[in-house]
Each structure stands twice: as structure tokens, then as C-alpha cells.
Amino acid sequence: MPEIKSLGFQKATKNRIFQDVVDQIQEAILSNELKPGDMLPAERDLRETFNVSRGTLREALRVLEHKGLIEIRLGTSGGAIVKNTGMEQLNETLALLIRSGELSVIDVGEFRAGIEEKVAHLAAERADQNQIGRLEALLQEARRLTDIGVSAWDDFLDTDQEIHKKIAEFSGNTLYKFVNNVVQDNIRRYYDRFLDPTMERMEQNYQDLAELVDAVRNKDARKAARTAQQHVYAFNSWMREKEAVRAGRSAKDAEQKTPKK
Amino acid sequence: MPEIKSLGFQKATKNRIFQDVVDQIQEAILSNELKPGDMLPAERDLRETFNVSRGTLREALRVLEHKGLIEIRLGTSGGAIVKNTGMEQLNETLALLIRSGELSVIDVGEFRAGIEEKVAHLAAERADQNQIGRLEALLQEARRLTDIGVSAWDDFLDTDQEIHKKIAEFSGNTLYKFVNNVVQDNIRRYYDRFLDPTMERMEQNYQDLAELVDAVRNKDARKAARTAQQHVYAFNSWMREKEAVRAGRSAKDAEQKTPKK
DNA sequence: CCATAACAATGGTTAAACCATTCTAAAGAA
DNA sequence: TTCTTTAGAATGGTTTAACCATTGTTATGG
């Protein structure tokens, strides 16, 4: 076999050659032969290694980039750098599903309720003192913003979201953390668009958060779960009201998802 | 305060014509200007429309293909056809996360337990008679396979999985259905690899399923949820045993995730 | 010593050609 | 007619060679 750099790359032969290149590089990354931070050779060198044209190689790199496995930088000392896998792709895919209309905001809200319930349950069981302290600090910030009033609405929602993300992190389950963050990021757009800031909502929201953090502090998993669920339900019903109003105004949008009990 | 990234903004990558092409075509698809089944013009025509080279256009198509927005076919009357968005990308991304070691099979199993509990709860509330009938038919099939014995283990697992997917579908929540299927598909690989077929497991598994379907039939949501959770816990503990044995053999793997309640 | 300019290495893009696959329609045989 | 075979055309897949744009490095000059 012709000398092939230091890595175990082979010549590409199948149909859809670029796919073969994708597979080989991906395999090298997932098997930890290439670690995050490592640089791939320059395109003109890789081209030769795989014995393909530069265009074909670039199609392969494009796919790997979109998979989130590499990042491509410009200029001298640029090139393809191996990335830490993350939830960015999950995030984008979920956003696509929502935008394409295959997922209703009601479905996403219901899903969120389930996730947050579980995450709160686990966090109450597992959070240590240090983590509880960080939640309390965030809660204090939420209190401060609530006292400011509706003008701090956006910052309040940020802090609210931050608390939920921390709780997901403290659940100790990476997958719950990923999924929770993805859902948070995607549903937040709807809140920003559809949720009017009112003092009542801020205050109730804060009370929910306080109760939730309190349950976690006391390691009362069942209460934490219940509180988190009710907290999300409140958001969801606000959203449904809004949705109902919108549907009422534009009569052409006749088809609505059957409301769930 | 938290970064801007919560919103759907993306890094403004200057020089990247193909990204511009991606955005335009994606926008056309998501705005329903292009519907599933529609064909895009041939590469040589599109090239001219966007006033880019064929190579650049192909990089754009490659990305859209990987996003799951189009499918590309070969030959006369081939070309890029607009696809129904689906869970394939979610599936692939989750598989990547697992393979890259960022997700342990224990995390995935725990997550699965939460999802199945919720899905069972919703299905018990919402499944109609027709759907319940389909579950009973699948349950009968599971009974038949159990009577055959361990030689039917693989088929039994297939039927088991089918029942869980149906229940997720009958939850009436598309997102739960997607996520459930993704998790099922990905965790199945571990079961295939690590789970030894025994008559006891088959029988217990069947009993769990029977109880679950029964709870759904009786619209007993709480019992359905509890049963589904216990069912998954059984699998998870079998997996943990296996994992413990494997870890025991290789002493360097000292750290184990704390078992929960 | 520092600012500036020239250079080099990299990814991004273009162009024209050819190959491989697949559908279609014409041609021919039954 | 009807079926089979074959030739053609349209499409995506690949190659080549050149040039452009960005960016880090190095040499230059004050």
C-alpha cells in the first residue's frame, strides 16, 4: 500500500466517494485516533492521501463540518480542526422540525413539562451543597429582577432559563441536560414572541422558582418534580391562550390541534 | 447575563457563498414554497440561477442533504427532491453522542425510563379503541414468541420495541414519538450486544408488557406510567450487571455511576 | 523597538470536461 | 400487436487546473 501519512486512511473507491472519505475521517475521530483540537492536513494534502479531487474532498469536509465533528478555519494555519461533539446539531434539527410545522408549540411544551419534571426529580436527589448554593444565588437574582418590575422581564426570563439549565445539569444525566437545553433554547423563541410581560406572571413565576429551589434544597424529589411540572404548565396555558386568540382572529387557520385535556 | 446564542442567530461567516445558497433553498422549503416531493431544477440549471459554480452549488446541496431537507437521486429524472423532515438526523446525532463517549448507556437508559413513563401515561389517557386493538394484537404476538422460547428472542425484542413505539405514537405528541423512537433505536444496539437471552427475562418482559397494555386499555394512566418505568428499570439493571462484570474484569474502570433510588 | 509592507499558506471559487447511472424511446424480434 | 433489446439523453458524480480572498508570518525601514 502507498505510504499514507500517519493515520490509517485508505484510498477511496466506492460510489459516492465523498461518503467514503466522510466515513474514514469520522471513524478516525470517533475512535479517538484524532482528538478534539487536532488539525487535519491541508486540503491539498488530504486530497492526495485519499486520492480524490479537491472538490470531492471538500464535499466530504462540508458534511463533517455540518455533523459538528470538525470546524474549518480560514487563512494561513487555518484548516479543519477536530471539534468537541455537542448538542448544536440536536438543537438545529429540533429547530427545523418546529419550523417545518411537524411539531406544534403545544407538543413541545408538553414534552418540556415531562423533561423538567424528571430533571427536577433527579436534581433533588443528587445535587450537592455547592450546586444548591449556585441555585440559590440565581434565585436571589430572580428576586432582584422581579422587584425591579416588568422592565426587567427579559433579564428575568434569562435567569429563569439559567435556573432550569442548572437544574438539568445537576440531574447528573448528560442526555437530560442536552435535551433540556435544546428544548429550552427552542421554546424560548415562542415565549419571546407570544408572552406579554405582566407583573402577575413575574411574581407567580418567581414563586414557582423559589418553591422549586426549596424542594431541591430539601431533597424533596417528589415535590420538586410536581413544582417543575406545574411551573411549565403555567407557561403552556399562557401560550395556549395566546394561540387561541391568534386562531380566533385569522379564520382561515381552521385546523387546530385538538386541545389535550 | 447569558449569551445571545439562545436566539436563532448564527455566526455571520463572511466568505461562504454556498452557505447563502443553503439558506435560500432552506427558506424556500421551510416557507412551504417548495413542498415535500417537489423537485429542484437540475444542478446545471440551479448553478445558473444562483450564478455560482457547480462545485459551490454541490457543496450547498450536500449540506441540505445532510440536514435531511432534500434527497438526491441519480440518473435521468434524478435530482434533488424535497423530503419530509424526519427524525433521521436526530437519530444520527444521538448515535454520534453515544459513540463519542459523551453519553453513557446508563444515562441513555435512565432517560429512556423517563420518556417511556410519560408516553405510557399519555397513551393511557388518549388511546382510542382502534389503537388499543393494535396493541393487543402485538401483545398476542409477544405471547406467541414467548411460548416458542429463547430461540425467538430476537423477534421478541422486535415486538417489544414495536409495542413501545406504538404506545409513543398513541401518546398523540409528535415530539415524544420522535424522541422515543430515537432512543429505542440507539439503545437497542446495546441490548443486542450485552443482553443474554434467558427464558426468565422473556417471561418477565412479557408480563410487564401485558400489564402495560392492560393499564392502557383501562385508561389507568398512573399504573401505565409506573409499569413502563419498572419495565425499563429491569432492562437497565440487567445492563448494569453486565457493565459491572465488564468493569470488574478490567480493573482500571473504577468509577461507576451511583445507582438511584 | 515598533509600525508597515511583502510574502506564503490556507480555504473558497470558478471553469470545462469527462465518467457513471438511470430512465426513455426507438428498433427489432416473436 | 406485444415483448425484448438497444441506443440515446439527461442527470448526478468526479477530475483538473487555475485564480481569488483571508490571515498569519516575516522582512523591511523608520
Side-chain angles (χ1 to χ4, degrees):
Chain A
M1 181 140 51
E3 55 129 359
I4 293 182
K5 292 272 170 177
S6 50
L7 301 169
F9 294 151
Q10 303 171 6
K11 280 192 181 181
T13 55
K14 300 176 192 169
N15 305 354
R16 298 260 267 186
I17 296 180
F18 77 86
Q19 184 61 55
D20 192 79
V21 175
V22 167
D23 292 341
Q24 288 193 52
I25 297 180
Q26 170 170 322
E27 189 53 35
I29 293 175
L30 292 180
S31 69
N32 221 29
E33 192 176 344
L34 286 169
K35 303 169 198 47
D38 286 356
M39 295 273 299
L40 291 178
E43 287 183 359
R44 290 163 178 83
D45 296 331
L46 266 185
R47 197 205 91 252
E48 199 152 336
T49 304
F50 287 109
N51 196 33
V52 299
S53 77
R54 212 178 141 208
T56 299
L57 173 70
R58 281 175 59 80
E59 290 190 29
L61 292 179
R62 206 91 289 145
V63 171
L64 289 166
E65 179 185 50
H66 188 260
K67 283 192 182 194
L69 291 171
I70 64 174
E71 177 187 338
I72 296 177
R73 290 178 184 168
L74 220 59
T76 316
S77 81
I81 183 170
V82 177
K83 262 180 50 172
N84 276 308
T85 319
M87 67 165 193
E88 287 147 35
Q89 267 54 43
L90 273 180
N91 210 325
E92 184 192 339
T93 306
L94 184 60
L96 275 183
L97 283 173
I98 292 176
R99 268 213 65 188
S100 71
E102 295 195 51
L103 291 179
S104 71
V105 63
I106 294 190
D107 280 352
V108 178
E110 183 173 273
F111 183 81
R112 180 192 162 196
I115 296 293
E116 298 226 8
E117 177 192 341
K118 278 297 167 191
V119 149
H121 190 104
L122 293 174
E125 288 177 348
R126 295 174 181 170
D128 61 30
Q129 279 313 116
N130 178 32
Q131 292 170 330
I132 291 173
R134 286 158 77 185
L135 288 180
E136 286 169 336
L138 282 168
L139 186 64
Q140 251 179 358
E141 172 70 3
R143 176 71 264 172
R144 191 180 68 81
L145 293 167
T146 307
D147 290 337
I148 293 178
V150 289
S151 64
W153 174 261
D154 282 341
D155 288 340
F156 179 82
L157 280 189
D158 283 341
T159 304
D160 174 280
Q161 195 171 28
E162 196 59 27
I163 291 178
H164 286 299
K165 287 189 176 182
K166 282 295 176 215
I167 289 180
E169 184 182 332
F170 300 158
S171 77
N173 184 312
T174 310
L175 183 49
Y176 265 119
K177 188 184 87 178
F178 277 171
V179 171
N180 178 75
N181 286 2
V182 169
V183 171
Q184 291 278 343
D185 286 344
N186 281 287
I187 202 143
R188 174 62 186 275
R189 299 195 192 116
Y190 290 93
Y191 291 164
D192 286 343
R193 264 176 67 197
F194 295 140
L195 222 55
D196 299 324
T198 74
M199 202 53 226
E200 290 79 9
R201 277 175 189 164
M202 269 183 96
E203 188 59 43
Q204 180 188 337
N205 209 331
Y206 169 78
Q207 293 299 337
D208 286 349
L209 288 175
E211 200 173 339
L212 175 55
V213 171
D214 195 61
V216 171
R217 183 193 307 115
N218 297 330
K219 303 204 178 302
D220 186 342
R222 297 173 67 91
K223 185 182 177 193
R226 199 174 346 109
T227 307
Q229 201 180 25
Q230 286 169 354
H231 175 70
V232 179
Y233 279 169
F235 269 95
N236 288 351
S237 64
W238 294 338
M239 296 297 294
R240 278 206 202 86
E241 285 171 26
K242 264 287 181 192
E243 193 111 337
V245 172
R246 288 160 49 83
R249 275 208 298 265
S250 64
K252 67 175 181 180
D253 276 26
E255 53 169 337
Q256 267 273 78
K257 188 136 200 166
T258 309
K260 324 221 157 113
K261 95 170 186 180
Chain B
M1 265 292 96
E3 322 91 317
I4 313 173
K5 109 184 159 184
S6 305
L7 302 172
F9 294 149
Q10 297 179 2
K11 208 185 298 178
T13 47
K14 318 155 198 173
N15 305 312
R16 289 196 113 175
I17 298 183
F18 76 86
Q19 185 63 54
D20 191 67
V21 176
V22 167
D23 292 341
Q24 288 192 51
I25 297 180
Q26 170 170 321
E27 189 54 34
I29 293 176
L30 292 180
S31 69
N32 221 29
E33 192 176 341
L34 286 169
K35 303 169 197 52
D38 286 355
M39 295 275 299
L40 291 178
E43 286 184 0
R44 290 161 178 83
D45 295 332
L46 265 185
R47 196 207 95 253
E48 199 151 336
T49 302
F50 287 108
N51 196 33
V52 299
S53 77
R54 216 180 140 207
T56 299
L57 174 69
R58 281 176 59 80
E59 290 190 30
L61 293 178
R62 206 91 288 144
V63 171
L64 289 166
E65 179 185 51
H66 189 262
K67 282 192 181 194
L69 290 172
I70 64 174
E71 176 186 338
I72 296 177
R73 291 181 184 163
L74 219 60
T76 317
S77 81
I81 182 171
V82 178
K83 261 180 49 171
N84 274 308
T85 319
M87 65 164 194
E88 288 148 34
Q89 268 53 45
L90 275 179
N91 212 324
E92 184 192 339
T93 306
L94 183 60
L96 275 183
L97 284 172
I98 293 175
R99 268 214 64 189
S100 71
E102 295 195 52
L103 289 179
S104 72
V105 63
I106 293 187
D107 280 353
V108 178
E110 183 173 273
F111 183 81
R112 181 193 162 196
I115 296 294
E116 299 227 6
E117 178 193 340
K118 277 298 168 191
V119 148
H121 190 104
L122 293 174
E125 289 176 346
R126 295 173 182 169
D128 61 30
Q129 279 313 115
N130 178 32
Q131 292 170 331
I132 292 174
R134 286 157 77 184
L135 288 181
E136 286 170 334
L138 283 167
L139 185 64
Q140 249 179 358
E141 172 70 3
R143 177 70 265 174
R144 190 181 68 80
L145 293 167
T146 308
D147 290 337
I148 293 177
V150 290
S151 64
W153 173 260
D154 282 340
D155 289 339
F156 179 81
L157 280 188
D158 284 342
T159 304
D160 175 281
Q161 195 169 26
E162 194 59 29
I163 290 177
H164 286 298
K165 288 190 175 181
K166 281 296 175 211
I167 289 179
E169 184 182 333
F170 300 159
S171 77
N173 185 312
T174 310
L175 182 50
Y176 265 119
K177 188 184 86 177
F178 278 169
V179 171
N180 178 75
N181 286 0
V182 169
V183 171
Q184 291 277 342
D185 289 342
N186 280 286
I187 202 141
R188 173 63 185 272
R189 299 194 195 117
Y190 289 91
Y191 291 162
D192 286 343
R193 263 177 66 197
F194 294 140
L195 222 54
D196 298 325
T198 73
M199 201 53 224
E200 291 78 6
R201 277 176 190 166
M202 269 183 97
E203 188 60 44
Q204 181 189 336
N205 209 331
Y206 170 77
Q207 293 300 337
D208 286 349
L209 288 175
E211 200 173 338
L212 176 56
V213 171
D214 196 61
V216 171
R217 184 194 304 114
N218 297 330
K219 303 203 177 304
D220 187 343
R222 295 173 68 90
K223 186 180 176 194
R226 197 174 347 109
T227 307
Q229 201 181 26
Q230 286 169 354
H231 175 69
V232 178
Y233 278 168
F235 269 93
N236 288 351
S237 65
W238 294 338
M239 295 296 295
R240 278 209 203 85
E241 285 172 25
K242 264 288 181 191
E243 193 112 334
V245 172
R246 289 159 49 84
R249 278 206 296 264
S250 62
K252 65 175 180 180
D253 275 26
E255 58 170 330
Q256 267 273 78
K257 191 134 202 166
T258 311
K260 24 166 307 191
K261 88 167 178 183

